[in-house]
Amino acid sequence: MTDRYAVIGNPISHSKSPLIHRMFAAQTGQDISYEAIEAPLDGFAATIERLRNAGYKGCNVTVPFKQQAFQLLPEGMQVICSEDAENAMAANTLSFSGNRIQIQNTDGSGLVRDLEENLNIDLEGKNILLVGAGGASRGVLSPLRRAGANITITNRTEDKAHFLAKRFRMASCSYEGLLEKQFDIVINATSAGLTDSQIPLPESIFTPNALAYDMMYGRETPFMAFARDQGAQVADGLGMLVEQAAEAFFIWRGVRPDTRPVLDALHK
Ligand code: ATR
């Protein structure tokens, strides 16, 4: 029987997840279906209950429900939460089996895989500047550190960067303090690109051959344009999207899909 999966968000019609998971399924010969489902803004938990009762095996969760996914606690259910989801206080992957729900977050491991496997970067000892202190940043901090990177957090609202850095025992810095510093990798985890806003980073921020990584995809953000002007290598978040999906697929199916042909297809 075909196992059913879905991605839940609001809005959701733009989501590339159904396409990605269908390509994974075709490639690995897994008999699954995967659809996009829009949950009402006040109806996330009810939507999950409906899917569980209908026999779905799992789902991905996207904006704006990742925090609610982490907090799910349906009555009478056993909930198991991964360390990455605990650290991020957000989840993007749910698995249902009997009266058990597994809550996981594959965003950070997806980013690490994109950096290491697709962009061929050894993260051990690399100095990374993580710009932003919201949910997107929290989701990637622990996996990046596990990979051996030295992380500094900066944010427009400084207190949030300092708070996060304290909690994860990392360095933090104000935008002004960055004038003296250089990084091998600068990751934009802010939502500034959505409003075409520039982040006031100093031009001297990149080491020679540095990578500028924007978690956003599908558009050239002002951060990416700025980084290109400074001679940095630039990557968008499409690889992270595909890799976090592959991690979820592996959790559900026990098979790791080859992400390269899927990334190539999406780039076209
Ligand atoms: P997400 O879950 O996508 O991380 P969020 O939790 O609302 O969303 O966090 C958005 C992040 O983008 C924050 O770090 C925010 O900075 P503030 O904490 O100062 O609000 C950052 N951000 C949004 N717009 C920005 C802009 N124009 N310039 C710089 N940072 C911006």
Side-chain angles (χ1 to χ4, degrees):
M1 208 176 76
T2 304
D3 288 336
R4 299 170 78 185
Y5 298 89
V7 58
I8 320 294
N10 186 330
I12 199 63
S13 58
H14 66 286
S15 174
K16 294 191 197 302
S17 291
L19 177 63
I20 293 170
H21 280 276
R22 285 173 201 158
M23 284 195 264
F24 288 164
Q27 181 200 101
T28 57
Q30 293 285 310
D31 184 13
I32 68 160
S33 68
Y34 190 108
E35 66 211 273
I37 295 176
E38 186 170 282
L41 288 173
D42 60 353
F44 173 71
T47 303
I48 294 297
E49 272 315 279
R50 180 172 69 74
L51 297 187
R52 253 186 6 87
N53 291 330
Y56 281 71
K57 298 284 186 192
C59 62
N60 286 130
V61 180
T62 188
V63 178
F65 298 125
K66 287 186 184 184
Q67 265 139 12
Q68 286 185 54
F70 166 66
Q71 289 163 348
L72 270 181
L73 202 58
E75 233 183 88
M77 297 291 297
Q78 182 190 12
V79 174
I80 299 167
C81 193
S82 75
E83 200 182 320
D84 282 351
E86 293 276 6
N87 284 330
M89 293 194 291
N92 73 338
T93 304
L94 305 177
S95 312
F96 312 132
S97 148
N99 73 337
R100 175 183 295 185
I101 299 184
Q102 252 181 300
I103 297 181
Q104 282 159 288
N105 192 323
T106 65
D107 282 334
S109 47
L111 171 64
V112 167
R113 270 192 95 86
D114 189 33
L115 290 168
E116 292 189 328
E117 307 293 325
N118 300 330
L119 298 167
N120 282 318
I121 292 170
D122 179 5
L123 290 172
E124 183 68 45
K126 286 285 186 307
N127 290 316
I128 296 187
L129 178 67
L130 187 65
V131 188
S137 291
R138 281 201 316 271
V140 301
L141 277 172
S142 322
L144 281 174
R145 177 163 57 191
R146 237 178 4 245
N150 304 317
I151 302 162
T152 301
I153 307 168
T154 191
N155 191 49
R156 178 176 62 182
T157 309
E158 286 173 28
D159 282 356
K160 283 205 234 169
H162 299 324
F163 179 81
L164 210 54
K166 218 169 172 181
R167 186 178 145 218
F168 285 90
R169 295 171 204 282
M170 293 172 179
S172 58
C173 190
S174 64
Y175 282 177
E176 293 75 33
L178 292 170
L179 257 179
E180 323 274 289
K181 300 191 162 72
Q182 286 200 320
F183 295 89
D184 305 308
I185 305 173
V186 180
I187 299 174
N188 181 16
T190 74
S191 48
L194 283 177
T195 51
D196 269 331
S197 312
Q198 185 61 272
I199 303 162
L201 299 174
E203 292 180 356
S204 55
I205 198 73
F206 301 104
T207 57
N209 308 317
L211 172 73
Y213 191 104
D214 202 313
M215 285 197 200
M216 216 156 259
Y217 59 87
R219 61 157 77 202
E220 172 89 355
T221 63
F223 167 74
M224 292 163 85
F226 163 77
R228 259 183 243 289
D229 286 347
Q230 307 317 316
Q233 185 195 334
V234 173
D236 72 3
L238 193 64
M240 177 176 169
L241 176 77
V242 173
E243 295 298 340
Q244 63 77 27
E247 296 281 322
F249 192 89
F250 179 69
I251 286 170
W252 291 330
R253 311 303 300 177
V255 186
R256 194 170 280 287
D258 182 4
T259 50
R260 178 50 61 188
V262 175
L263 247 178
D264 288 347
L266 289 176
H267 274 304
K268 276 183 207 137

